[in-house]
């Protein structure tokens, strides 16, 4: 056996026989747990700071969803306050459109003010004074806020009618003075009936065509024909025998 091998074997035998040999041989093994004990707390402390999923998820979701300030503020305020196209057209009564338009609507009120749909008719058109609630019209004119400055009125319904202002008994009704819209070819129907207090002069508005008065009852018809066919306003004079009529003005439009 070489000399160096014999020396190595002798050294190993010697260390096994010495009393402190166990501590000397175990020193490197004891050092490892000491290092791990120091490193362990550092790793554990860093863990929660880097992986706090609860805090991150809840904060993000609650702040974004719980506030709810975007959908409500945007859509509700914009629509419920009514700040759209209605402003300045129908409510303020001042804005005017220079172009002429055709408006279609039903008369809701007539008298001192005539309301068609949600607009008041204003102007010098002679037909405004003889419109009845329930009539359907085509009105040409300019919009002025909630009003229409009328340039032309065409009555679409009823198609055959006449207007009478005077004592009720003249047309076979009871009561004082009335405003009556007679309907049908010979005026046997009654389209509308309204009181007319304070009036003193009878008025008849009717259309004369082809030698006869449309929608005028026999006892109410004028004796003499007008100069031309068309719509006429006649002024009446009361007598014991009834009413005598005189043509007062030609109104625009044809009987059809």
């Amino acid at each position: 056996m070489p000399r160096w091998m014999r020396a190595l074997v002798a050294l190993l035998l010697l260390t096994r026989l010495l009393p402190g040999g166990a501590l000397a041989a175990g020193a490197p093994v004891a050092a490892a747990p000491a290092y791990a004990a120091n490193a362990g707390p550092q790793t554990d402390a860093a863990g929660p700071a880097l992986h706090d999923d609860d805090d991150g998820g809840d904060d993000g979701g609650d702040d974004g969803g719980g506030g709810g300030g975007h959908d409500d503020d945007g859509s509700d305020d914009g629509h419920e306050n009514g700040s759209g196209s209605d402003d300045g057209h129908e409510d303020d009564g001042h804005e005017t459109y220079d172009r002429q338009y055709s408006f279609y609507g039903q008369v809701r009120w007539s008298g001192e003010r005539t309301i068609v749909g949600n607009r008041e008719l204003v102007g010098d058109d002679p037909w405004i004074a003889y419109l009845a609630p329930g009539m359907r019209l085509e009105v040409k004119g300019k919009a002025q806020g909630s009003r229409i400055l009328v340039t032309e009125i065409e009555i679409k319904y009823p198609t055959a009618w006449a207007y009478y202002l005077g004592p009720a008994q003249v047309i076979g009704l009871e009561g004082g003075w009335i405003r009556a819209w007679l309907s049908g070819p010979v005026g046997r129907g009654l389209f509308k009936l309204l009181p007319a207090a304070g009036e003193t002069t009878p008025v008849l508005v009717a259309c004369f065509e082809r030698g006869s008065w449309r929608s005028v009852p026999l006892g109410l018809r004028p004796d003499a024909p007008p100069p031309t066919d068309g719509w006429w306003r006649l002024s009446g004079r009361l007598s014991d025998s009834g009413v005598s009529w005189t043509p007062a003005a030609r109104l625009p439009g044809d009987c059809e």
Side-chain angles (χ1 to χ4, degrees), residues 46-240:
L50 295 176
H51 302 286
D52 191 358
D53 291 338
D54 291 338
D55 291 343
D58 291 345
D59 291 346
D62 292 344
D63 291 346
H70 299 288
D71 293 339
D72 292 339
D73 292 344
S75 58
D76 291 344
D77 291 346
H79 295 286
E80 290 181 3
N81 290 339
S83 57
S85 60
D86 288 341
D87 290 349
H89 294 278
E90 295 186 3
D91 296 332
D92 58 12
H94 297 291
E95 186 166 342
T96 302
Y97 299 95
D98 292 332
R99 286 184 57 192
Q100 289 198 16
Y101 291 85
S102 287
F103 303 87
Y104 296 85
Q106 183 169 324
V107 179
R108 295 171 49 200
W109 178 263
S110 66
E112 294 182 0
R113 301 176 64 206
T114 300
I115 309 297
V116 177
N118 60 351
R119 296 175 184 265
E120 180 183 2
L121 303 187
V122 296
D124 298 328
D125 191 283
W127 285 114
I128 295 179
Y130 308 115
L131 299 177
M135 283 183 167
R136 300 192 188 108
L137 315 177
E138 178 184 356
V139 180
K140 295 180 180 180
K142 298 178 181 179
Q144 295 182 331
S146 60
R147 295 181 173 184
I148 299 175
L149 180 58
V150 177
T151 58
E152 184 180 346
I153 294 175
E154 184 176 346
I155 300 172
K156 298 294 186 179
Y157 175 82
T159 55
W161 63 279
Y163 168 82
Y164 167 73
L165 166 67
Q169 62 267 23
V170 173
I171 60 173
L173 300 177
E174 295 181 358
W177 280 58
I178 58 171
R179 300 172 67 203
W181 286 263
L182 309 168
S183 62
V186 293
R188 293 177 179 173
L190 188 61
F191 179 75
K192 195 71 177 179
L193 181 65
L194 296 174
E199 302 290 346
T200 57
T201 303
V203 173
L204 178 66
V205 174
C207 201
F208 185 81
E209 183 182 37
R210 300 172 185 174
S212 64
W213 292 95
R214 294 183 58 184
S215 304
V216 179
L218 184 61
L220 195 61
R221 293 178 185 177
D223 295 332
T228 60
D229 286 2
W231 284 93
W232 287 87
R233 178 173 64 84
L234 300 99
S235 178
R237 185 173 61 87
L238 292 174
S239 64
D240 295 337

